[in-house]
Amino acid sequence: MGGAGRRRLAGVVVLLVLLSGCAESPRERPATGGTVRIAVNPWVGYEASAAVLGRLLKQELGYEVQKVKLNETQSWEGIEKGTVDVIIENWGREAEKKTYIEERKVAVSAGRNGNKGVIGWYVPQWMADKYPDITDWRQLNKYAHLFKTNKSGNFGQLLDGDASYVTNDEALVRNLHLNYKVVYAGSEKALINAAKLATERRTPLLMYFYEPQWLFTRLKLVKINLPPYAIGCDADPKRVACDYPPYLLDKIVSRRFADGGGRAYELVRNFTWTNDNQNAVADDMTNNGMSADQAARKWIEANRIVWKDWIPG
């Protein structure tokens, strides 16, 4: 081969090496590996979402997942402290959004998660059948005596869950001039047990509750018609006198994770499923003896058509 040919061959080799180096450049490769820290708030629907997301992060993308059990307020604080990357189910929390997203700029929205949230007051179906007007909030004082307990004294009891949940109930009772006292059951499990007992034993119960929730697939609860929600009617927490707004639940991530989370962040951003999807996993966790990971694996195996498009290319 002549000198010119050797020079041309050498040039081709150099070009191929350069192109190969570009293809292998860390900057161009999708990020893989690392640890994703997911806040887990204290209700089973949230745990179901975190279980499915966590398993997909491990199974499909090779990330380690750390689940951090926190209430809603602590989860936002964890984003600022650097101990939380993802809140997978956020219920409004406009004050926290203002503080951590707009002012401190340590968090960002990663879009809706597909769940439609409803918060309200409920009674067992048998009560609505026996007292047809009980679902009108203006008639609740007439029935307050039915709901008296040792904890509510001379007032009817309105049973709430964990005190950290989103709730306007104390203000609603006060501003609607209702003869009721809010009593905190302390957990979602306690609310569910109360609903089961009230249904089975036909005992009176007025309770704070919400959807999505697997319990609605097992027994019937009827929602109380509070004064209709209108935009801004809950702007002042002390003066609230209207129903809860409809919630299009969203995902919150740390700005650090949004900027450097690579394919993990893309999966979180793409994650979106229905109330029925969540309820199926939560029901298996609660009633069918499955761990969160077992229930997530069952759902993932049966629903590839749902989640395959969440996985980044």
Side-chain angles (χ1 to χ4, degrees):
M1 181 181 292
R6 286 195 296 273
R7 285 194 295 273
R8 283 195 298 272
L9 178 60
V12 170
V13 170
V14 169
L15 178 61
L16 289 172
V17 169
L18 288 173
L19 288 172
S20 175
C22 289
E24 293 299 318
S25 169
R27 181 173 296 189
E28 298 299 326
R29 287 200 308 268
T32 58
T35 300
V36 180
R37 294 157 298 184
I38 304 175
V40 179
N41 293 165
W43 59 90
V44 71
Y46 189 116
E47 292 178 46
S49 294
V52 169
L53 175 63
R55 186 165 185 84
L56 288 173
L57 283 165
K58 293 178 183 179
Q59 173 181 305
E60 300 297 317
L61 300 184
Y63 284 83
E64 293 298 318
V65 174
Q66 179 183 354
K67 294 177 183 176
V68 189
K69 292 187 176 182
L70 300 168
N71 66 32
E72 291 171 273
T73 301
Q74 292 166 342
S75 299
W76 285 88
E77 294 169 351
I79 281 183
E80 183 171 41
K81 293 175 182 176
T83 57
V84 169
D85 297 314
V86 181
I87 297 171
I88 195 64
E89 182 178 306
N90 176 63
W91 287 72
R93 292 286 172 177
E94 298 305 320
E96 281 88 349
K97 284 184 175 181
K98 186 174 189 301
T99 298
Y100 294 100
I101 294 179
E102 297 178 20
E103 296 174 359
R104 300 181 185 175
K105 302 186 185 305
V106 296
V108 298
S109 173
R112 295 173 181 168
N113 76 2
N115 291 144
K116 297 177 181 179
V118 177
I119 295 176
W121 298 356
Y122 293 83
V123 294
Q125 178 70 54
W126 74 263
M127 293 199 77
D129 293 340
K130 186 172 181 178
Y131 311 106
D133 62 343
I134 201 170
T135 58
D136 181 348
W137 71 270
R138 290 165 293 193
Q139 305 302 318
L140 284 177
N141 280 345
K142 182 169 72 173
Y143 297 106
H145 65 283
L146 297 177
F147 299 103
K148 287 183 180 179
T149 69
N150 291 335
K151 293 183 179 180
S152 66
N154 292 325
F155 298 93
Q157 175 177 279
L158 170 57
L159 191 66
D160 268 43
D162 186 315
S164 70
Y165 290 177
V166 173
T167 178
N168 298 327
D169 286 357
E170 291 186 12
L172 281 168
V173 166
R174 182 177 62 253
N175 296 329
L176 295 177
H177 308 292
L178 298 176
N179 298 326
Y180 286 80
K181 178 180 179 181
V182 176
V183 174
Y184 291 93
S187 68
E188 178 183 66
K189 184 177 181 180
L191 282 177
I192 290 170
N193 287 340
K196 287 180 175 179
L197 287 174
T199 299
E200 293 167 4
R201 300 178 183 177
R202 294 177 68 85
T203 53
L205 175 67
L206 176 64
M207 65 184 288
Y208 164 105
F209 211 50
Y210 42 84
E211 299 182 57
Q213 225 300 323
W214 64 265
L215 187 64
F216 287 99
T217 68
R218 298 276 177 150
L219 57 81
K220 293 183 179 180
L221 300 171
V222 181
K223 193 171 184 288
I224 301 296
N225 295 313
L226 293 169
Y229 175 81
I231 294 175
C233 71
D234 56 351
D236 184 345
K238 295 181 180 179
R239 300 179 65 183
V240 176
C242 60
D243 205 346
Y244 292 86
Y247 293 93
L248 296 175
L249 306 183
D250 61 346
K251 301 159 290 188
I252 306 297
V253 300
S254 71
R255 181 172 293 278
R256 177 179 53 256
F257 181 68
D259 291 342
R263 299 179 79 209
Y265 169 64
E266 291 182 55
L267 173 53
V268 172
R269 189 180 58 193
N270 293 342
F271 175 93
T272 177
W273 67 347
T274 66
N275 287 15
D276 287 343
N277 293 151
Q278 187 188 92
N279 286 340
V281 178
D283 187 53
D284 278 338
M285 291 167 58
T286 307
N287 301 302
N288 296 329
M290 294 186 187
S291 68
D293 189 62
Q294 288 170 335
R297 181 172 59 194
K298 174 186 173 182
W299 186 88
I300 287 169
E301 289 174 353
N303 291 277
R304 181 176 177 82
I305 193 170
V306 177
W307 60 262
K308 64 182 179 65
D309 290 336
W310 303 347
I311 308 302

